Amino acid sequence: MGSAATGRARIALEHLTDEELLEFRLCDLPVRIEGTHLEERVAQLHEELEERDLRVRPHVWLSEEWFSPDGVPGFAIPFYLAHPRLMRLERKQVLEVEGGTNRECMGIMRHEAGHALDNAFRFRSRRRWRELFGPFSQPYPESYQPEPTSRDYVLHLGAWYAQAHPAEDFAETFAVWLASPPARWRKRYSGWGALEKLEYVNRLAEGVAGVKPLNRRRDVVRPLSQLTMTLREHYRRKREYYAVGLPSNYDRDLKRVFSAEPRGDGGQTAANFLRRVRRELVQAVAEGTGVHQYTIDQILLKMIDRCKLLRLRLSTPEEQAGRRVLVMLTVQTSNVIHMGYHRIAL
Ligand SMILES: [Zn+2]
């Protein structure tokens, strides 16, 4: 396909309604990496590896989500990032576009590059690797229960993702190492247990500088062209994935923030108030916790339902109510994480 064909495909997608788009099968989406902003970001990643004399250039392909398959020195990029219309649909369906900004996209790519390099050089088979990060063969959990105050792990992708699995711990540590010069991470992680892991990654990388890896496979796993489910089905599953395990009882908290007393002048209902500040609240809590906005929004929607049923009203100035709800929603979101957060797709 030349650029003219790509241009036509772009125009076609732009003119479809959400309902029309949702009927598309993933394999029929007219998108590819070539010619998009993704190509530049991959080039930037390759440059960063080049600068450190690392001889791995992870290959990339479009699929459902971000992932690097075990044993393959490359990674998949989610299809929605290949077209602005699909990014808009993603936001509408699950409220958040993972990797939608340049900064976030590069952050995830550096993480995936960590997996790719581990696959290329099989670092995980080294004794010191296993001592520092744990057994690679440990099964992936359905969900994980991070310790937010731990200093044994770097903080990179959010939701304390390094704590999900030894392979993720390595990928996160690698991403921090690749993103900044040693002076920066040494200062940032001074006094942390995670610093030892960073120093180890630094030594590992020096050890393989200029070395061609043995594993130079270029195969792809679950490419878009093989995915026959519709976008509607894809998003139904994705929402299910992020909504599991939500606690259901917020009544006590809600009654502390709002009032059940009927007022002469009516006053504003709590449900209306929450609906108005919904987007802002969800974004603020997502920034603070790294939890997916869709998960947080589900909690808030349940709260709004309860507010309606309990006929709660605002009894304090809006600003004060907003502050209290922000704290409550953050606490409830942390509870979800402690019940075992379900975000291990990377
Ligand atoms: Zn990962």
Side-chain angles (χ1 to χ4, degrees), residues 64-322:
E64 268 175 286
E65 298 293 342
W66 291 101
F67 66 92
S68 175
D70 196 13
V72 178
F75 58 87
I77 298 175
F79 63 91
Y80 56 77
L81 290 179
H83 198 289
R85 178 67 184 91
L86 295 173
M87 284 171 71
R88 284 210 303 282
L89 183 69
E90 177 82 6
R91 187 173 302 286
K92 208 151 168 203
Q93 293 289 317
V94 294
L95 303 176
E96 185 175 326
V97 182
E98 263 193 303
T101 64
N102 189 29
R103 185 190 158 86
E104 199 188 8
C105 188
M106 285 312 302
I108 300 174
M109 281 193 181
R110 292 185 189 109
H111 171 104
E112 301 300 349
H115 290 305
L117 258 87
D118 201 13
N119 286 329
F121 289 111
R122 289 200 64 80
F123 292 138
R124 75 194 67 152
S125 63
R126 301 182 188 215
R127 192 174 51 84
R128 187 67 185 139
W129 193 106
R130 293 196 304 268
E131 280 170 6
L132 282 170
F133 300 103
F136 184 87
S137 55
Q138 179 180 309
Y140 258 83
E142 267 295 301
S143 57
Y144 63 103
Q145 302 179 330
E147 183 49 67
T149 56
S150 172
R151 293 185 153 209
D152 291 334
Y153 302 86
V154 296
L155 299 173
H156 176 63
L157 284 185
W160 304 278
Y161 193 56
Q163 298 186 38
H165 186 273
E168 301 309 333
D169 192 8
F170 176 81
E172 287 286 85
T173 308
F174 180 87
V176 170
W177 172 84
L178 185 62
S180 53
R184 180 114 38 98
W185 50 255
R186 281 187 181 127
K187 185 160 177 249
R188 165 72 180 83
Y189 289 99
S190 166
W192 285 46
L195 187 58
E196 205 179 335
K197 295 174 178 173
L198 281 160
E199 295 289 0
Y200 175 68
V201 168
N202 197 41
R203 286 199 301 279
L204 265 186
E206 279 170 9
V208 296
V211 177
K212 270 197 177 171
L214 286 175
N215 179 356
R216 275 173 261 164
R217 290 167 57 177
R218 305 294 283 178
D219 46 336
V220 301
V221 175
R222 289 179 62 72
L224 204 58
S225 60
Q226 288 174 12
L227 304 178
T228 53
M229 77 171 87
T230 62
L231 283 167
R232 193 183 303 284
E233 173 66 7
H234 163 77
Y235 282 118
R236 191 189 62 74
R237 290 189 198 185
K238 191 162 179 172
R239 283 193 300 265
E240 221 168 60
Y241 180 79
Y242 282 124
V244 293
L246 299 179
S248 52
N249 196 344
Y250 308 109
D251 292 4
R252 210 182 45 182
D253 280 353
L254 290 169
K255 284 176 182 162
R256 259 202 296 264
V257 177
F258 302 111
S259 164
E261 299 293 315
R263 269 174 46 172
D265 62 354
Q268 191 178 186
T269 69
N272 273 346
F273 170 69
L274 289 179
R275 268 194 291 267
R276 228 165 12 83
V277 295
R278 177 175 160 194
R279 180 178 278 260
E280 199 185 329
L281 259 179
V282 168
Q283 272 175 7
V285 176
E287 272 166 30
T289 61
V291 171
H292 197 287
Q293 289 195 32
Y294 185 78
T295 305
I296 301 166
D297 196 52
Q298 292 300 301
I299 301 175
L300 188 57
L301 285 175
K302 284 195 178 173
M303 287 182 178
I304 291 174
D305 273 353
R306 291 308 298 169
C307 283
K308 265 193 289 192
L309 275 165
L310 299 168
R311 296 172 181 273
L312 298 179
R313 296 188 164 273
L314 241 65
S315 57
T316 59
E318 282 193 6
E319 219 183 283
Q320 193 178 345

Side-chain angles (χ1 to χ4, degrees), residues 42-61 72-75 112-113 116-117 120-121 174 178 208-213 215-218:
V42 172
Q44 186 188 332
L45 176 71
H46 287 186
E47 262 170 47
E48 291 179 5
L49 295 167
E50 170 79 46
E51 277 166 22
R52 286 157 175 83
D53 204 15
L54 292 168
R55 297 293 168 90
V56 180
R57 302 288 174 268
H59 62 294
V60 295
W61 64 95
V72 178
F75 58 87
E112 301 300 349
L117 258 87
F121 289 111
F174 180 87
L178 185 62
V208 296
V211 177
K212 270 197 177 171
N215 179 356
R216 275 173 261 164
R217 290 167 57 177
R218 305 294 283 178

